[in-house]
Amino acid sequence: MMLLVVGCSHKTAGLEKRELIGFQRDELDNAVGDVCKLAGVQEAMLLSTCNRVEIYAVVDQLHRAEYAITEFLCSRAGVDPKDPDGMIYCYSEKNALTHIFRVASSLDAMVVGENQIVGQVKEAFAVAEKARATGPMLRRCMHRAFSVAKLVRTETEIARHPASISSAAVDLAGRVFEDFGRVGVLVIGAGEMAELAVRHLVTSGANRIRVTNRNFQRAEELSNRVGGRAVVFDELGSQLEWADVVISSTGSREPLITREMLAEALRVRKQRPIFLVDIAVPRDVDPQAGSLANVYLFAIDDLEEAVAENLRARRKEAKTAERLVAREVIKFETWMRAQDAVPVIKQLRDRFLKIAHKEAERTAHMLRLDGDREREAIDGMAEAIVSKLLHMPTIELKRGVDVSNGVDLAQAARKLFGLEIVEEEEDNAESSEEKSK
Amino acid sequence: MGAFFFAVTVGLYSLATVIYVIYLFHRTEKVRRFARIVLFVSFLGHLGLIGFFCFQGAHPLSGTSGLLRFTSWVLVGGCLLTGLRWKIGVLGAMIAPLALALLVCSYFMITHSAAAIRVVKFLGWFHLVMAAMGVAAFALAAAVAVVYLYQESALKKKRLDLVCRQTPALSTLDDVGRWLVLIGFPIFTLALLSGVLWVTQLPKHGWFRLEYVFAGLSWLVLAVLLVARFKAGLRGKRAAWVAVVGFLGIWLVLVLYVGRKVLGP
């Protein structure tokens, strides 16, 4: 059984093609069932987001399954599966595992480190589970992928640097004010960007929000949406004395907040710092105001530079994350092979002990040994012989999983000793593992 | 044996300094925690060193070397205590080398200073303890002020690549500085008063000494800072600069005092 990934992403297919190939939420149940019916496919899940459409499958016939899944996807976009023009990529075994771990850890995302993808992958997996399209191998793989994604987020700073204008603005405000629950936020204008920024602030704990706009009704609408209150536009000057964070995004041709207004507000505020985000073009805040002490003014250009800086930092962190993923892939592969070896070791031991006990019984009977002590001694000797004989094979079977020399010792042992692959036992172990989680 | 304790303590402080310098360029939580652990171990080693001298029969504050040893120990203790409440990793990068420098200086004081001062009077050792704690508190306040000034400058100039994400926000740094001055000022006042009372009891002791003048001036600067902070709302960059100036004054007092002991009147 092998792991296979077939799909397309923003890196290989344009938006139009991805729109054709992509699946709506209500199509996923049937689609994943259809994938499972394809030649060679044993287990499957389907991930369909705005940036990628991928099928993760466990297959027993690699090339047949690869072609069948490619054809399945290409038929939706009207593309020849024999010549998908670089749109479709295929990964198998270790490469497939690496790709799945990288996608879940947002290393393959359009914005590296974005935090939506792991939720989308979890949702896709849940849909596949519900449609009974998953099996033990895919389950193990995906559970480990989610653990790796969490590890990447905690061990690296890949997600800590904000990658949007509004989140960058809030992040910068956080460099001045520790506790957003204690700051006053003034929003000037009722546009989308201003609303995004204020929503980020609300998520970060801000709860004292005032909204002002020339159109009072729009100010009221926005204030209702963000849990604040509307104030009349004429009170702008006095509101600066109250507000610690000001977000401005209006269509005004002239600056609304002048240097003098801020100087006066600072005097009344006794020099308490004030943080201004001016997202408007032309600017709402006089740039000269930024030179005042205790005034921190950031315009749209500054925020774009902040985002660019953050993306550079994320890409730097991505290198650490890639090394972490590579390490986890090796660990998982080793673990998988060890899992294969454990039932074989158990079966070998059971088989040998059964034979040893039978022979010990026969010998005790031949020697007419009736005492418990004598029988125990014979049994003990038989078990000791079995343990000593199996000692090296057990070590090699376990160690053998680290050596990628093309020899699968577990399979060889099965063949040599005529052991059966006990699938029921594996499924039972899997389901008890699931229940304990 | 004393040399062994000393060497171990100096070695540990040196290691802490190196790790904190690494932290300045590689600011991860792991490095910060490791540096803090090493600093704590250094603090314990330092306590062992002071304890050794006590065990030998010397008062912990005896002589200039004892004072410097004790001051550097209190400084590190204050840094660790501050770190319990606020994660200001870069603080250690300033305090560890300062403590190391004071400790190394204390070693050289052993050979150059006269016979250890027999600090028999309560006022004498009380003054020295308060002075050491005052120096430590204002050193920490100045270090926090330096961190504030750095962050503030980076934000003001929009040098976002220089802004340290691992440091608390400016509002918190300002609060920490305020608290340290609030704690340090009464201690320093007690040091000053007890010093004046102690000196009056010493025979043939001159009043005009540079360190006394600077001590008085520093006290005045810090008193003004305190009143301005709490009454006039002085905060931020200006408050940080005043804290730095006040500490430099106190530092000068210490330098003059040690210099007098080494070089004579």
Side-chain angles (χ1 to χ4, degrees), chain A residues 18-152:
Chain A
R18 296 203 311 274
E19 279 174 340
L20 288 170
I21 293 179
F23 295 82
Q24 297 298 315
R25 176 68 182 81
D26 52 8
E27 290 178 295
L28 283 177
D29 296 334
N30 291 336
V32 83
D34 291 340
V35 171
C36 279
K37 289 173 190 161
L38 296 173
V41 176
Q42 302 298 315
E43 306 172 32
M45 64 173 269
L46 202 157
L47 174 67
S48 181
T49 71
C50 46
N51 288 330
R52 69 185 63 248
V53 181
E54 291 177 341
I55 291 172
Y56 305 152
V58 173
V59 304
D60 55 11
Q61 295 167 65
L62 180 64
H63 296 295
R64 279 189 74 183
E66 192 179 307
Y67 183 79
I69 297 173
T70 305
E71 195 181 29
F72 176 78
L73 289 174
C74 288
S75 63
R76 291 176 66 84
V79 170
D80 182 1
K82 287 182 184 141
D83 182 24
D85 197 23
M87 193 177 77
I88 301 287
Y89 47 77
C90 302
Y91 301 114
S92 59
E93 300 197 87
K94 187 175 177 178
N95 290 338
L97 192 62
T98 306
H99 181 80
I100 292 171
F101 282 9
R102 289 185 76 247
V103 167
S105 306
S106 73
L107 288 170
D108 201 53
M110 201 181 266
V111 176
V112 167
E114 60 98 348
N115 54 12
Q116 278 187 308
I117 185 67
V118 69
Q120 289 166 330
V121 175
K122 282 182 178 173
E123 206 188 319
F125 178 64
V127 166
E129 285 255 84
K130 203 175 163 192
R132 294 178 177 273
T134 61
M137 192 164 166
L138 195 58
R139 268 189 225 120
R140 286 175 189 168
C141 173
M142 294 316 298
H143 283 303
R144 186 57 72 95
F146 302 143
S147 302
V148 172
K150 190 176 172 186
L151 199 65
V152 162

Side-chain angles (χ1 to χ4, degrees), chain A residues 161 171-172 174-178 270-272 290 292 295-298 302 306 310, chain B residues 30 148 152 155-156 158 160-161 163-172 233 235:
Chain A
H161 305 279
D171 184 59
L172 284 171
R175 301 289 99 226
V176 179
F177 303 107
E178 192 84 38
K270 292 188 180 176
Q271 301 299 319
R272 275 184 300 122
L292 288 167
V295 168
Y296 303 95
L297 171 62
F298 289 87
D302 304 318
N310 289 341
Chain B
K30 269 184 190 165
Y148 180 98
E152 202 271 350
L155 271 172
K156 205 79 172 126
K158 296 170 192 178
L160 304 175
D161 53 324
V163 172
C164 179
R165 292 181 174 283
Q166 290 74 17
T167 302
L170 291 181
S171 59
T172 301
R235 54 167 52 89

